[in-house]
Each structure stands twice: as structure tokens, then as C-alpha cells.
């Protein structure tokens, strides 16, 4: 991994490079999965690409695809190990979305019927053609090519 893919002040870079401890459950050439030390529910796993990219929008497609490819197996393992009834698989991207560590990562949070987690989020409504206009504005932006490593 090249130097620019590492941030010396990043706690997840330090974990990836074995400089601070973590309870690892899976390692690949490009990603590490370990337990969140302050879990929403016990068994809460983080999937962290080895390369330092701050947010999901900055992640090369191939790295996002690799991290995503680990999800089904990890979700099955968390379910089998915890006896969960379901799970939330989420990425917080940016402070406004609750991201606190600026090294892109996925959360796998085991969920239980009647657990105290505050979910679902509130939902808004579109008025008139707002939904069509929003779909147009987003699809228009997708002409941009994918990011390369
Ligand atoms: P986020 O708020 O999406 O950036 O998630 C960061 C997560 O990292 C939080 O859920 C923290 O509990 C977790 N976390 C922080 N420090 C560590 C650490 N040293 N080892 C494992 N998980 C950590
Ligand atoms: Zn990092």
C-alpha cells in the first residue's frame, strides 16, 4: 500500500497496520474486519478497507466492491454467533451523518426484536413532481466516471 493511502493520525490506519490492538474477525489483502469497541449491540463488526480513504464518495469502485463482497459472509457469521434476528448494515459518511472516524468503514450491527436501538429513522414525503425532479438531478450527476485507485 502506498504512503498516500495511510494517515499517521488515523486510528483505523493504526489498527490496520497492527499498531493498536483490535478484535479481528476477518482479514483480506484489501480489508480488515474487527469488533467495534463500543458496540450498538454486542457482535457489532466494522469492515475497514486497508487503504485510507475518508468517505465512501472517495473510495475507488474496486475497493468498495471488495468491501461489499465481504458483507454476506460477515452478516451470516454475526447472525450465527449472536443469535440476532436481523442486522443493520450502514456506512456513515461525513459529520452530518454521524461519521466520527474519517477512514471509510461499514458497520454490521446485529439487531434483536425489542432491543433498545432507536430505529427506524423518521421519513419525509415528496410533494408533486419533487420525486421525479430529484431522480433527474441525481441521474444527471452519474455521467461522472468512477474513481480509480
Ligand atoms: P463512525 O461513527 O461511523 O465513524 O464509527 C466509528 C466507530 O468506531 C464507532 O462505532 C466507535 O465505537 C468505533 N471505534 C472507535 N475506536 C475504536 C477502536 N479502537 N476499535 C474498534 N472500534 C472503534
Ligand atoms: Zn485511516
Amino acid at each position: 500500500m502506498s504512503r498516500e493511502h495511510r494517515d499517521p493520525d488515523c486510528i483505523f490506519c493504526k489498527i490496520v497496520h497492527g499498531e493498536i490492538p483490535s478484535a479481528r474477525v476477518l482479514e483480506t489483502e484489501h480489508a480488515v474486519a474487527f469488533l467495534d469497541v463500543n458496540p450498538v449491540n454486542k457482535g457489532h463488526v466494522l469492515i475497514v478497507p486497508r487503504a485510507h480513504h475518508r468517505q465512501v464518495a472517495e473510495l475507488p469502485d474496486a475497493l468498495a466492491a471488495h468491501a461489499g463482497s465481504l458483507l454476506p459472509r460477515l452478516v451470516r457469521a454475526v447472525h450465527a454467533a449472536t443469535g440476532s434476528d436481523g442486522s443493520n448494515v450502514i456506512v456513515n459518511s461525513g459529520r452530518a451523518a454521524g461519521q466520527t472516524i474519517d477512514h471509510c468503514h461499514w458497520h454490521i450491527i446485529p439487531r434483536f426484536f425489542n432491543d433498545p436501538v432507536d430505529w427506524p429513522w423518521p421519513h419525509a414525503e415528496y410533494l408533486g413532481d419533487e420525486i421525479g425532479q430529484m431522480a433527474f438531478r441525481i441521474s444527471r450527476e452519474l455521467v461522472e466516471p468512477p474513481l480509480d485507485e
Side-chain angles (χ1 to χ4, degrees):
M1 188 188 311
S2 62
R3 271 192 160 279
E4 72 261 28
H5 285 141
R6 187 165 177 195
D7 177 337
D9 299 322
C10 170
I11 191 166
F12 283 178
C13 283
K14 288 180 182 159
I15 286 177
V16 161
H17 291 275
E19 291 163 10
I20 60 174
S22 64
R24 295 184 184 220
V25 297
L26 181 68
E27 291 196 59
T28 71
E29 188 183 347
H30 298 296
V32 179
F34 52 87
L35 291 180
D36 192 304
V37 275
N38 294 122
V40 173
N41 281 321
K42 289 178 184 172
H44 178 167
V45 165
L46 303 174
I47 305 177
V48 179
R50 288 185 189 271
H52 181 91
H53 298 278
R54 285 178 305 167
Q55 295 187 358
V56 71
E58 299 168 9
L59 212 54
D61 285 12
L63 198 47
H66 176 71
S69 76
L70 304 176
L71 285 169
R73 194 153 57 108
L74 276 164
V75 168
R76 288 195 296 272
V78 168
H79 167 71
T82 64
S84 60
D85 301 306
S87 54
N88 291 115
V89 177
I90 59 169
V91 178
N92 299 324
S93 201
R95 288 287 176 276
Q99 185 178 11
T100 58
I101 296 189
D102 293 328
H103 181 137
C104 180
H105 54 281
W106 278 248
H107 294 254
I108 299 173
I109 302 168
R111 294 298 309 279
F112 303 86
F113 289 121
N114 302 318
D115 71 21
V117 180
D118 191 10
W119 192 271
W121 288 325
H123 291 272
E125 278 181 28
Y126 288 107
L127 298 176
D129 189 40
E130 271 183 332
I131 192 165
Q133 289 174 27
M134 183 57 76
F136 173 74
R137 282 162 56 192
I138 293 173
S139 35
R140 190 176 57 184
E141 298 297 334
L142 291 171
V143 295
E144 187 188 320
L147 293 179
D148 285 331
E149 187 106 40

